[in-house]
Amino acid sequence: MSVAIRVIPCLDVHDGRVVKGVNFRDLRDAGDPVELAALYGREGGDEVTFLDISASREGRETTRDVVRRTAETVFIPLTVGGGVSSVEDVDALLRTGADKVSINTAAIRRPEVIREITERFGNQVLVLSVDARREAGMPSGYGVTTHGGTTSAGIDALDWARQGVDLGAGEILLNSMDADGTTTGFDLQMLADVRRVVDVPLIASGGAGTVRHFVEAADAGADALLAASVFHFGTLSVGEVKDALAAAGHVVRRA
């Protein structure tokens, strides 16, 4: 039987509130993270992802409190990212109530941390977040970025995704920084290209605006579909997305 396509609302948390912008700029308040997570749980979201976009230690502590309160009231898996750089960070988040953690910049700085985390906790807990955009001069045409897509890491995105899986990452979260917050559609070519080089679950992120966009991303090879703005501001519901996926022949889980 086919594996169900997962629909994952993403909560960008800053100072204890959910925010959303375009390419991580011009942030708007989108609500209380615990309330939104509970709503998405009721709507049939398969998971909820928290991304702490506050760089300070205070921001991470705030996010841990949010995760703790959410885990007490929402009974779907929680993935938490932002400021994760060590085995100790992962341990703290799992103890707080996270089911999985997402790592990004710290893995670029020191790739070995991927292996350290997965050897300790298993690869099912680690999602490698790849912020990629089209970049001339890269062999694949895609480069890895940091700082909200503004800074090139000088790494080919396909090579990095492949390396991350070789080191033990259990999933790849592919963020199209060109499409982030635009609601003009996922980067289908990038998705298909990454799909060809990794054999772990692939999460599509960046650009969702209509139910058709979700279907197209699933058709392109995504195992899970992550979005923020369209859910937070009421453009679409999780149920509407799942209805469209099911109508297109994809297996989905119902609430």
Side-chain angles (χ1 to χ4, degrees):
M1 182 177 175
S2 298
V3 176
I5 299 289
R6 288 171 288 149
V7 177
I8 307 175
C10 180
L11 309 179
D12 294 323
V13 179
H14 177 67
D15 293 336
R17 299 288 293 179
V18 176
V19 296
K20 190 58 190 172
V22 177
N23 300 128
F24 294 98
R25 294 187 293 272
D26 300 323
L27 300 178
R28 290 190 291 164
D29 187 282
D32 177 76
V34 179
E35 291 178 3
L36 282 172
L39 170 64
Y40 298 140
R42 293 192 300 271
E43 285 188 351
D46 296 292
E47 301 176 14
V48 170
T49 292
F50 288 94
L51 295 180
D52 172 16
I53 65 172
S54 303
S56 68
R57 180 163 299 277
E58 290 78 10
R60 288 198 292 277
E61 289 300 325
T62 299
T63 299
R64 288 176 187 172
D65 177 63
V66 168
V67 172
R68 184 180 297 108
R69 289 187 290 123
T70 302
E72 293 171 352
T73 56
V74 180
F75 303 104
I76 57 176
L78 306 178
T79 300
V80 184
V84 175
S85 61
S86 67
V87 168
E88 291 73 25
D89 290 335
V90 175
D91 185 59
L93 286 168
L94 295 177
R95 290 176 184 276
T96 298
D99 297 281
K100 294 187 277 188
V101 297
S102 173
I103 193 168
N104 189 336
T105 305
I108 294 171
R109 291 185 184 135
R110 197 171 69 84
E112 297 78 15
V113 74
I114 297 173
R115 179 173 285 126
E116 292 167 4
I117 291 168
T118 56
E119 286 181 350
R120 170 80 177 272
F121 302 105
N123 68 353
Q124 77 283 351
V125 308
L126 189 65
V127 180
L128 177 63
S129 181
V130 179
D131 290 347
R133 71 183 339 148
R134 282 172 164 72
E135 184 174 344
M138 289 295 168
S140 69
Y142 310 112
V144 176
T145 69
T146 60
H147 301 86
T150 61
T151 305
S152 172
I155 302 170
D156 184 89
L158 266 60
D159 288 344
W160 177 232
R162 189 187 295 112
Q163 181 185 1
V165 172
D166 289 344
L167 287 167
E171 294 185 76
I172 298 293
L173 170 56
L174 181 64
N175 305 301
S176 170
M177 302 313 296
D178 295 315
D180 177 71
T182 64
T183 68
T184 57
F186 294 97
D187 189 325
L188 303 179
Q189 188 61 58
M190 184 190 291
L191 273 173
D193 289 344
V194 174
R195 174 75 289 165
R196 281 193 289 271
V197 302
V198 300
D199 58 1
V200 299
L202 177 61
I203 307 167
S205 172
T210 69
V211 292
R212 184 66 208 164
H213 293 156
F214 288 88
V215 173
E216 290 170 347
D219 291 343
D223 300 282
L225 309 163
L226 182 147
S229 300
V230 291
F231 295 139
H232 301 340
F233 300 118
T235 306
L236 298 173
S237 70
V238 172
E240 288 171 333
V241 171
K242 288 194 169 186
D243 287 345
L245 288 166
H250 293 286
V251 177
V252 295
R253 297 187 193 93
R254 296 296 187 175

